[in-house]
Amino acid sequence: MAAVTRDQKETLYRDGFVVLPGVIPAGHVAQARRSIFAAIGRQRADALALGRDPDAEQAKQAAESARMSTGAGGAGVFMDLFHATPLAAIVQELIGDVLPVRGCQLPTNFPTDPGDHINESGYPDRDTPFHGWHGHLDGLWNGAAPMHQRTDRKMTAAESEAWFQDPSRNGCRRAFPEHATNIMGFTALVAVALSDQTEEGSGNLGLLKGAHHRMERFFQEQRDAGGPLGPDGPGWPRIDTDAPNGNGLRHYPDAVRNAFPDGGTTTADGKFWPRPTQVKMAPGDAAIVLHAVPHCATRVAGTEPRLIAYFRITSAARPEANHRVHPDALCDIWSEWPGMADVVHAHRTAT
């Protein structure tokens, strides 16, 4: 029997993501949660020790604990969320063979009030609607220095020089001229909920539902206009100089942003903000998301930390030279999803 139903495939095609309820057994969720909390506890203990008698080894241990609790996870307990559950077989049914999955991201978010911190859109968090959702595609350069945190002045020459370096803080380059593309990419984002995210305001993953169809057309339009694909390509200026900090990042194009007016809102400066779908998941639920869907975490307005594991999946069918940068997959977003071929064919031939 198929691991993924026809209705789930239809949802994935229509929305760009599908939630798989309870696909991760409770025991695996519990072990992953324990490991994260243990890392947070070690981080606290290491911080206290550093305050008393700091040395290089203690600093190293503190950094490792912080990385484990809020950064990346390659330990077996986290990899088991993918490899030792039905998730790996489901992904294979949809995508076929994938490149080895050896790590995941563990972006733990804690409860916070709306504040003045300026996010990558160049806006203060308190002024960013929908629990701070500002949307991005993965694989984009995000500056080699922290975001400019001033709204009363532009960056100085020295700040600008530090900012406009390659690679950025996330390891991405601004351009890949050998591929006529300015964005790295993978095939699917797989999110595993490790905390209760069944109510909005739980730090939910926010997705611009259905935007993958418009993103695909946009990349095709960029290609037809001579490229490159991505920011700094046709119709997609990377830097938003009108943002409050004078240096916001457009992590998805305005043409896509403005194509989703339903439920959106406008800030005092006249900028339009589309309403994302805040994905509701219980511990043990998983979501499979196309790379082409703008996404972003949202603020934790409740009382509990948001715990989630992200796996980034790349089809093994990609040419070796395109494992990280694959313009063809941007312009044909279903080309790496053989398990979706029947659904995609039915929709494309019906239009």
Side-chain angles (χ1 to χ4, degrees):
M1 185 172 66
V4 185
T5 68
R6 177 73 183 213
D7 284 347
Q8 288 172 325
K9 290 183 180 182
E10 291 283 352
T11 298
L12 179 58
Y13 178 85
R14 181 189 68 233
D15 297 341
F17 68 94
V18 63
V19 175
L20 307 171
V23 70
I24 309 298
H28 289 290
V29 173
Q31 287 301 311
R33 286 171 55 87
R34 185 184 188 282
S35 292
I36 292 172
F37 288 134
I40 294 171
R42 289 194 301 272
Q43 184 181 3
R44 178 180 182 276
D46 292 340
L48 292 172
L50 282 171
R52 294 192 299 268
D53 184 22
D55 61 39
E57 183 58 29
Q58 288 172 331
K60 180 180 177 182
Q61 291 174 354
E64 174 62 18
S65 295
R67 184 191 67 82
M68 181 69 123
S69 62
T70 61
V77 67
F78 299 114
M79 299 315 299
D80 282 351
L81 295 170
F82 185 82
H83 292 296
T85 72
L87 201 50
I90 291 171
V91 167
Q92 185 171 39
E93 181 180 345
L94 291 168
I95 298 173
D97 291 338
V98 301
L99 296 180
V101 179
R102 298 194 176 100
C104 66
Q105 182 186 5
L106 300 168
T108 302
N109 287 352
F110 296 92
T112 56
D113 295 324
D116 293 326
H117 178 79
I118 292 176
N119 57 45
E120 291 192 352
S121 72
Y123 281 72
D125 174 67
R126 68 171 66 254
D127 296 334
T128 306
F130 308 120
H131 293 101
W133 191 86
H134 48 284
H136 65 264
L137 295 182
D138 281 344
L140 291 175
W141 181 92
N142 70 340
M147 286 298 297
H148 181 51
Q149 293 294 307
R150 301 286 293 270
T151 59
D152 59 329
R153 65 166 177 81
K154 296 186 181 297
M155 289 192 295
T156 65
E159 289 169 338
S160 182
E161 181 179 4
W163 166 261
F164 284 105
Q165 298 292 318
D166 269 329
S168 58
R169 290 165 292 153
N170 61 7
C172 295
R173 287 162 43 195
R174 267 181 293 178
F176 300 88
E178 66 275 24
H179 298 290
T181 303
N182 296 342
I183 178 171
M184 296 166 58
F186 44 87
T187 306
L189 176 70
V190 177
V192 176
L194 302 173
S195 63
D196 186 349
Q197 298 159 44
T198 54
E199 299 291 335
E200 291 191 4
S202 303
N204 312 67
L205 172 62
L207 300 170
L208 192 55
K209 184 167 70 174
H212 56 303
H213 300 297
R214 186 63 188 89
M215 276 305 322
E216 180 182 50
R217 292 198 300 274
F218 184 86
F219 283 129
Q220 292 168 355
E221 292 162 2
Q222 285 193 311
R223 178 193 60 195
D224 294 345
L229 307 185
D232 293 333
W236 189 350
R238 186 190 303 269
I239 305 299
D240 181 4
T241 57
D242 293 328
N245 77 340
N247 201 64
L249 288 167
R250 288 187 182 88
H251 278 329
Y252 68 107
D254 285 345
V256 175
R257 181 190 198 101
N258 297 327
F260 294 85
D262 293 347
T265 190
T266 302
T267 44
D269 62 353
K271 190 177 186 70
F272 174 72
W273 300 82
R275 176 183 289 276
T277 296
Q278 296 189 44
V279 181
K280 296 177 180 178
M281 294 192 288
D285 293 353
I288 297 179
V289 187
L290 265 75
H291 170 267
V293 179
H295 58 276
C296 179
T298 54
R299 187 186 315 112
V300 180
T303 60
E304 304 298 322
R306 190 285 303 270
L307 308 180
I308 199 165
Y310 287 133
F311 297 89
R312 289 171 173 83
I313 309 299
T314 300
S315 168
R318 285 190 177 188
E320 186 173 355
N322 297 109
H323 280 183
R324 302 184 75 191
V325 182
H326 194 17
D328 290 347
L330 298 175
C331 295
D332 184 358
I333 57 175
W334 297 109
S335 61
E336 299 182 312
W337 297 75
M340 287 288 292
D342 55 341
V343 173
V344 174
H345 178 74
H347 282 275
R348 288 182 172 174
T349 55
T351 57

